[in-house]
Amino acid sequence: MTVPAIRSWQAVQDEVRRRIVGRVWRPGDYIPHEAELAREFGCARATVNRALRALAEEGILDRRRKAGTRVAANPVRRARLDIALIRDEIEARGLAFRHAVLSRETALPPPAVRARMGTAAEVALLHLRTLYTAGGAPYVYEDRWINPAVVPAVAGESFAAISPNEWLVREVPFEAGDFTFSAITSTPAEAAVLACATGIGLFVLDRTTRRAGRIITSVRLVFHPGYRMHTEI
């Protein structure tokens, strides 16, 4: 079967996905080689390569060096999770955004943070505790560590006019990172910051981002009671 010439990698991706969903290529089947697909679609081989890589990242294709590419026998659907600005999230709800840095210090991090940051025991990091509010009500409490060796400009930023979340997203491009989701029972300290009862369940997001193999920041976000997160697969 031939198709009209395809110029973009997104169009190649859509056509390959259509064939997989339509069971033209079934789970476990090897698909044609990149060169063959490039000839069929009338595009560059690099265009096909990018499309197949994207589908492999989604878990739809299984690519093995020298073994070819086949449709994943047990496709893993992967959710996309963006690092959104807390300001944007709050203002999208039609609420006024505010932030306040509760504390700022340069300190030796505890062992758990040091392990996440990949720093030596004697290396001091910048430690920020920040409260974000939505319409005047506590929205999320942020406990963040930043490595000044990776982000030297942080020393000159007061975070009075711009939040740590917004400054880092805007000023420090990252290449990769990871997320951990969990739930905790609020302690008296968290209850005081978030203006909620002690012992109530709270949603927690732990995140690290890195550049050139080094951790930029490690942050724990503790959200107000009833917070919900939405993503797509």
Side-chain angles (χ1 to χ4, degrees):
M1 180 182 68
T2 60
V3 298
I6 292 175
R7 302 302 180 190
S8 71
W9 70 268
Q10 294 96 334
V12 173
Q13 179 180 253
D14 289 344
E15 175 60 21
V16 172
R17 183 185 284 110
R18 184 192 68 77
R19 296 183 185 186
I20 292 171
V21 172
R23 291 299 191 260
V24 176
W25 297 331
R26 304 183 67 82
D29 285 353
Y30 282 93
I31 71 172
H33 293 295
E34 290 178 5
E36 183 179 343
L37 289 174
R39 286 193 300 271
E40 178 186 351
F41 296 151
C43 65
R45 181 170 176 175
T47 302
V48 174
N49 178 272
R50 184 173 181 185
L52 299 187
R53 282 192 287 112
L55 290 169
E57 289 171 0
E58 289 183 25
I60 294 173
L61 292 178
D62 181 12
R63 306 192 78 196
R64 302 290 179 89
R65 185 177 176 81
K66 297 183 179 180
T69 300
R70 64 179 181 176
V71 180
N74 298 294
V76 176
R77 297 302 299 272
R78 298 179 181 177
R80 174 179 173 177
L81 187 62
D82 297 322
I83 297 182
L85 293 178
I86 296 173
R87 172 194 290 276
D88 291 348
E89 188 174 310
I90 289 173
E91 291 182 345
R93 298 169 182 248
L95 300 171
F97 165 87
R98 295 287 185 277
H99 83 278
V101 177
L102 305 179
S103 67
R104 175 180 180 144
E105 63 177 345
T106 299
L108 296 175
V113 173
R114 190 169 68 240
R116 291 199 302 273
M117 297 292 290
T119 54
E122 68 277 7
V123 174
L125 305 175
L126 178 62
H127 186 204
L128 297 163
R129 294 187 177 94
T130 306
L131 177 65
Y132 298 84
T133 61
Y139 187 80
V140 59
Y141 166 60
E142 177 184 272
D143 190 336
R144 181 185 295 274
W145 294 83
I146 302 173
N147 188 344
V150 180
V151 192
V154 75
E157 178 54 57
S158 68
F159 298 112
I162 187 171
S163 72
N165 168 252
E166 192 168 352
W167 186 84
L168 284 165
V169 170
R170 188 184 72 182
E171 300 291 336
V172 190
F174 65 92
E175 297 172 350
D178 61 77
F179 294 82
T180 301
F181 305 99
S182 60
I184 62 171
T185 300
S186 60
T187 65
E190 289 149 350
V193 173
L194 292 172
C196 65
T198 300
I200 197 169
L202 301 174
F203 176 76
V204 177
L205 188 157
D206 289 289
R207 181 178 71 228
T208 61
T209 54
R210 58 184 178 272
R211 180 173 61 182
R214 304 178 71 187
I215 300 297
I216 299 168
T217 183
S218 178
V219 60
R220 164 165 281 207
L221 300 170
V222 183
F223 292 85
H224 66 91
Y227 177 83
R228 298 178 66 186
M229 176 174 284
H230 172 78
T231 188
E232 296 180 356
I233 59 173

